[in-house]
Amino acid sequence: MRPILRNSCAMAATAAEAQFRIDRPIGGRSAVVVALDDDAADIVDRVAASPWQGARFFRADDGGLVDELAGADVAIMIATSEADAEAASLIAHSCAERGIMTAGLILGERLHVEAALSALRPYARNLMVTDDEEDVAAVLTALRA
């Protein structure tokens, strides 16, 4: 019996199986990042200053936000102690119509973000509460945005 080598799986494919291999780099996602309150807008502005491949950054009070969702793979709503629940609802419903995944990041101490948590919970498929602003960039990096 021959030992199984680390690269055996890649070499073991038949010609018929090899036709299904992806032979180009896997691209990133097109992410729309929306600040739902003024403090979140400051955070989003700082994160937006870094180079991103497919991320676009907005404030909830920007006009035409729903139109900006076109072509997005994911919409990430950022909030702090206060969040615009009406904007979160509008974004979530627009995303649902387009099949866009929604996520929410709430920044702040857990005792002070209850209102934002209540505002986002019905609308974000994935919800993260953190007190570290760098988690916003970490999530975007993980998504290859």
Side-chain angles (χ1 to χ4, degrees), residues 53-136:
Q53 295 177 19
R56 295 173 287 153
F57 301 86
F58 302 95
R59 295 171 184 240
D61 56 7
D62 287 347
L65 180 58
V66 172
D67 297 332
E68 297 296 341
L69 294 172
D73 298 315
V74 62
I76 303 171
M77 297 176 277
I78 310 294
T80 59
S81 59
E82 298 296 322
D84 185 343
E86 187 176 322
S89 173
L90 175 66
I91 292 165
H93 286 98
S94 297
C95 287
E97 290 172 0
R98 294 172 168 84
I100 300 169
M101 183 184 81
T102 56
L105 270 80
I106 300 172
L107 289 109
E109 294 182 29
R110 294 183 189 269
L111 296 174
H112 302 290
V113 296
E114 291 177 15
L117 187 60
S118 295
L120 285 178
R121 182 170 282 158
Y123 305 114
R125 205 171 253 198
N126 300 297
L127 191 57
M128 177 177 159
V129 178
T130 180
D131 60 358
D132 189 353
E133 182 177 316
E134 292 181 17
D135 286 339
V136 177

